Amino acid sequence: TTASPPHIALLPSAGMGHLTPFLRLASMLSSRSCTVTLITASPSVSAAESSHISFFLSQHPLVKHIEFQVIPSKPSSNPTTDDPFCLQFEATNRSVHLLYPSLASASPPLSAIFSDFAVASSFAPVAADLGIPNYIITTTSCKFFCLMAYLPVLLSDPLSFSSSLSEVSIPGVTPMPLPSIPPQFKNPNHLFTSLIATSAQALSKANGILMNTFDDFEPETLAAINSGRVLDNLPPILPIGPLETFEPKKEQDQSYLPWLDSQPEESVVYVSFGSRTAMSSAQIRELSKGLERSGYRFLWVLKTSKVDKDDKEELKDLLEESFLDRTKNKGRVVKGWVSQQDILEHPAIGGFLNHCGWNSVMEAARKGIPMLAWPQHGDQSVNAEVLEKAGLGIWERKWGWGLEGLVSGEEIGKKIVELMEDEKLRGLARKVGENAGKATGIGGKSEKVLTEVLEYLEQ
Ligand code: BUP
């Protein structure tokens, strides 16, 4: 009998940064004739997640959907964090065992499950009971993944994050300066830290770890981890990125597109800090000054709350009317969800001021758009270092974590000018884009890795 394409279930966890790569991969698998089941937790934290899930399903009628109820956390059950996404990771971990019956009775039978790193520990026993391969998907850089995988070892030594050391050392990986480490990692009791450490301990049980990165972007780190230098018990690390985007244009407020269409090529700075950064009003004011001072055209997506459902402030309450007036020909400020993919693909975009969420980095890499990195929290400082090293952008380290300090408009303005005028950087970034295209093209390294996994899983 000839082999038939595998049936793969995908289990993402909370937040658009986690959902997006899963939906993209689901679409890629579906177009390669796999049977795909998308598993989603309900209720979701943000409105963006629920609307993207519905939209995805409407575009992919062949994809099966399992929705499961998460057992909610008790209010203020965790004294170390009130981050709704982090609490949802924990709630999802407590609930994934509920999936067993529907996964066991899937038809055709499941060939494998691709589950998020954040649920690795609680899902490992479910996968073992089902007796099917489990691949873990991480939604960050390979370098930050190394830090997460090695976290249990670091936490076992009280001196690992001691302020007397200037950097954190992980075998095989270039040292990470202490200020780049998420501050929560210094507290082993913090929910974020304990979730990651527990997930890390389950990695050795997985069949492979799929990553949205590519060999040319992080060659040394990928070589180190795949030769067992970081830890000797990890399954293969499988770089399959940058993931293809499926998102067709949505009916949404795209009032900025006609404006963008009328701007010269590579003249506009696109400014966005992802779906989870709530910038302070003082920093928003400085950023507006910086954009104006730079003299460059800009498209700025502004958010003021961690969860979109809470974002109620209007532009006129956040920015001075005189600013909006003075810059009305130079720029656009947008509130609410935009199609970042369409924006980054637009020829008018010449630079990207961004928080370095890994999806955004890979999206900029695909298009070879130079970035000005301004990490806000989590994996973003390590990601900033990775993209700078790869030639995709610049990073002003002294700005620190965006959510902690206040950077002046003057400095921001200067850095934007640097980003837009650095022709060498533009050339390097373009090369990154070419390499990304090669990796995912027919016969490219990332494409081959995914093909091999799917061939292995054929039934
Ligand atoms: Br905001 C926003 N439109 O308006 P990251 C984001 N995106 O398409 P994050 C939009 O969401 P984590 C918007 O293109 C990317 O694919 C964007 O993921 C898209 O950052 C995704 O870049 C956001 O990884 O997540 O949201 O901060 O903290 O998990 O990295």
Side-chain angles (χ1 to χ4, degrees):
T1 57
T2 48
S4 54
H7 179 186
I8 296 170
L10 293 115
L11 172 59
S13 64
M16 283 306 290
H18 291 255
L19 180 66
T20 303
F22 274 81
L23 296 184
R24 288 179 179 163
L25 185 56
S27 183
M28 287 164 72
L29 296 175
S30 186
S31 65
R32 287 167 178 245
S33 313
C34 298
T35 305
V36 176
T37 295
L38 178 69
I39 309 168
T40 58
S42 174
S44 65
V45 180
S46 63
E49 287 163 85
S50 21
S51 82
H52 275 76
I53 292 165
S54 316
F55 182 69
F56 172 86
L57 293 169
S58 72
Q59 297 287 313
H60 297 83
L62 292 178
V63 169
K64 299 165 193 286
H65 185 211
I66 298 176
E67 192 175 45
F68 75 111
Q69 296 294 317
V70 289
I71 307 163
S73 308
K74 292 193 187 74
S76 65
S77 58
N78 196 292
T80 61
T81 185
D82 60 359
D83 180 295
F85 296 99
C86 196
L87 292 171
Q88 179 88 340
F89 289 165
E90 194 263 341
T92 311
N93 269 298
R94 265 189 295 105
S95 316
V96 286
H97 66 274
L98 300 173
L99 284 166
Y100 181 85
S102 41
L103 297 179
S105 61
S107 167
L110 286 173
S111 323
I113 297 191
F114 292 0
S115 57
D116 193 286
F117 174 79
V119 294
S121 62
S122 54
F123 197 69
V126 181
D129 284 348
L130 289 164
I132 53 173
N134 180 208
Y135 288 76
I136 288 174
I137 300 190
T138 70
T139 54
T140 182
S141 55
C142 184
K143 184 150 189 185
F144 192 78
F145 174 77
C146 290
L147 174 63
M148 298 197 296
Y150 201 69
L151 190 59
V153 183
L154 293 170
L155 292 175
S156 67
D157 177 355
L159 290 180
S160 295
F161 299 121
S162 145
S163 48
S164 62
L165 303 172
S166 59
E167 37 189 41
V168 170
S169 300
I170 297 174
V173 181
T174 47
M176 296 179 208
L178 206 56
S180 290
I181 306 293
Q184 300 94 319
F185 281 5
K186 292 165 203 158
N187 175 5
N189 300 320
H190 195 287
L191 182 61
F192 182 66
T193 309
S194 66
L195 281 171
I196 289 178
T198 313
S199 282
Q201 270 150 344
L203 287 171
S204 61
K205 299 189 188 86
N207 294 66
I209 296 160
L210 296 159
M211 262 182 214
N212 183 16
T213 189
F214 56 109
D215 195 52
D216 279 315
F217 204 70
E218 301 185 78
E220 289 102 1
T221 315
L222 281 162
I225 196 162
N226 264 335
S227 63
R229 271 182 281 154
V230 178
L231 287 163
D232 59 13
N233 63 352
L234 293 178
I237 307 299
L238 306 160
I240 56 167
L243 294 174
E244 284 161 30
T245 57
F246 71 89
E247 295 97 306
K249 286 190 176 48
K250 268 177 58 167
E251 284 169 34
Q252 58 188 343
D253 176 27
Q254 295 195 329
S255 53
Y256 50 85
L257 277 180
W259 175 79
L260 211 49
D261 287 341
S262 61
Q263 306 309 312
E265 247 178 56
E266 296 186 349
S267 69
V268 178
V269 191
Y270 170 50
V271 184
S272 168
F273 298 95
S275 64
R276 308 202 299 168
T277 298
M279 200 170 253
S280 69
S281 43
Q283 188 63 79
I284 288 174
R285 267 195 308 281
E286 291 305 314
L287 180 50
S288 70
K289 284 187 208 157
L291 287 166
E292 193 174 2
R293 265 169 183 267
S294 79
Y296 276 92
R297 297 177 171 83
F298 61 85
L299 174 59
W300 178 11
V301 183
L302 184 53
K303 274 178 48 69
T304 46
S305 65
K306 230 183 221 178
V307 179
D308 50 11
K309 294 168 187 164
D310 306 332
D311 207 336
K312 299 207 169 77
E313 280 165 285
E314 298 204 27
L315 277 184
K316 60 174 177 28
D317 307 326
L318 297 163
L319 295 165
E320 287 166 21
E321 220 165 296
S322 54
F323 165 80
L324 293 169
D325 224 38
R326 283 195 306 274
T327 57
K328 68 174 182 292
N329 296 323
K330 271 261 147 129
R332 283 286 179 278
V333 189
V334 192
K335 284 212 73 194
W337 194 262
V338 298
S339 171
Q340 178 160 306
Q341 201 48 53
D342 292 346
I343 294 173
L344 288 174
E345 281 178 8
H346 200 287
I349 300 298
F352 187 12
L353 169 53
N354 178 255
H355 68 313
C356 307
W358 193 247
N359 295 291
S360 294
V361 175
M362 282 297 110
E363 289 158 13
R366 277 179 91 230
K367 293 289 142 203
I369 295 174
M371 296 178 75
L372 170 53
W374 190 2
Q376 304 287 313
H377 59 91
D379 57 346
Q380 298 157 11
S381 288
V382 172
N383 296 348
E385 188 203 303
V386 172
L387 75 89
E388 185 188 53
K389 192 162 178 213
L392 186 64
I394 49 174
W395 174 29
E396 183 58 86
R397 285 166 173 72
K398 69 171 194 281
W399 288 5
W401 292 105
L403 286 181
E404 284 173 10
L406 183 68
V407 179
S408 73
E410 190 178 348
E411 282 185 72
I412 298 170
K414 273 196 209 140
K415 228 43 208 176
I416 292 176
V417 172
E418 196 181 315
L419 168 77
M420 296 300 276
E421 290 182 359
D422 188 340
E423 285 308 316
K424 186 165 163 247
L425 175 68
R426 195 163 296 281
L428 287 171
R430 196 167 288 140
K431 186 85 195 134
V432 169
E434 285 163 20
N435 287 338
K438 278 187 203 143
T440 51
I442 305 288
K445 287 182 191 164
S446 293
E447 194 269 339
K448 264 193 187 152
V449 169
L450 182 60
T451 302
E452 277 166 22
V453 172
L454 298 183
E455 276 169 6
Y456 173 75
L457 295 176
E458 275 179 359
Q459 301 193 324

